Amino acid sequence: MQPKINWTLDEVKEIYNTPLLDLIYNAATVHRKNKAYSEVQISSLISIKTGGCKEDCSYCPQAARYNTNVEVEPLMTVEKVKARAEVAKANGASRLCMGAAWREVRDNKDFDRVLEMVSEVNEMGLEVCCTFGMLTYEQAEKLKAAGCFAYNHNIDTSSENYGNIITTRTFDDRINTLNNVRKAKLSVCCGGIIGLGETDKDRINMLHTLSTMEVHPDSVPINALVPIEGTPLQNNKKIGIDEMIRMIATARILMPKSVVRLSAGRNEMSTAEQALCFMAGANSIFAGEKLLTTPNPDFDTDMQMFKMLGLTPRKAFKDIDATKETAENVA
Ligand code: SAM
Ligand code: DTB
Ligand code: SF4
């Protein structure tokens, strides 16, 4: 059955404002209807082209206009990406997400090289996810044909708050790219960030936008702002763990079938804090010692946490294999 997509703002608000322990309990109850509730998808990130981006996203270490410590690096070679993908796979990752500090994809030699990377990593049996900024339908189709599985493009915040964070492209530009991605039958990965200075109303509106999309995003990353020196948000206050849990739990209830990813911000969280996020319905993480440019817990630390909490890494292409098996059983 297709999950509910006609949530009203009042319904979202009511869930979001539930007392925290009740909210965790309710989200955990929804999550436990998924028989694989203790499986966590491990996605590893590689920044294939770093820094020098012309956008003005005010949280981003890679925007050229801010004076951050990030060194600009040109597009990686296919060989280097393959080597990094091998390491991620050996450490239990089922998905490799390649990120590029681009405003949008251009049809040039760099894109041809990226298509080659996608194809090689897909051949290794990893789900390939890409996040390269804006995309046309034709480009989305090319990525799909090369073996790309998912595309990450976040709405980041509410449409009302969007202009306070980014001015060089609009909220509608984002929705347009997401439509191109969905039309090309790529898995949609779309979420946002908290800690940008937004209000609870903005968070509720963002969750409302995500959960009333024509089809829910297949994965929903919830990022806590990693404040970066040199960016306009460098002095933003660290978010409380209760705020992260509230976002995850509400997302879990609103989008029961989506993968909810506990994304940026884990480096500052204890195991106990992360355990509450998993309890509240998070079933994916970014693993490996770096996100794109900032530190993240290393694989060994995460594996110890998985062992302690009784979590297991999810296999690549699991849902697709499950569909195939069911079809074969029926035949
Ligand atoms: N350039 C592409 C784009 O903007 O879509 C892809 C890479 S961009 C870094 C991907 C996402 O990372 C952003 O949409 C944002 O949600 C998240 N992000 C970037 N910097 C962050 C930070 N300092 N803290 C938390 N999340 C961040
Ligand atoms: C997402 O939602 N979070 C990831 C991924 N998608 C591309 C990126 C987080 C970046 C955090 C800052 C950095 O490491 O540069
Ligand atoms: Fe950073 Fe992406 Fe914005 Fe560029 S478009 S500044 S890489 S978030």
Side-chain angles (χ1 to χ4, degrees), residues 53-57 59-60 62-63 100-103 169 174:
C53 182
K54 58 186 178 192
E55 295 285 273
D56 71 350
C57 311
Y59 48 76
C60 189
Q62 303 196 67
W102 286 331
R103 173 175 203 268
R169 61 180 161 178
R174 300 242 175 190

Side-chain angles (χ1 to χ4, degrees), residues 45 59-62 70 97-99 131 152 154 156 189 191-193 221-224 226 228 261 263-265 286 290-295:
L45 280 165
Y59 48 76
C60 189
Q62 303 196 67
V70 167
C97 181
M98 301 186 216
T131 180
N152 165 248
N154 293 335
D156 279 349
C189 173
I193 317 181
I222 307 287
N223 296 280
V226 183
I228 308 286
R261 185 170 305 117
S263 304
F286 284 120
K290 234 183 190 185
L291 289 166
L292 290 170
T293 65
T294 61

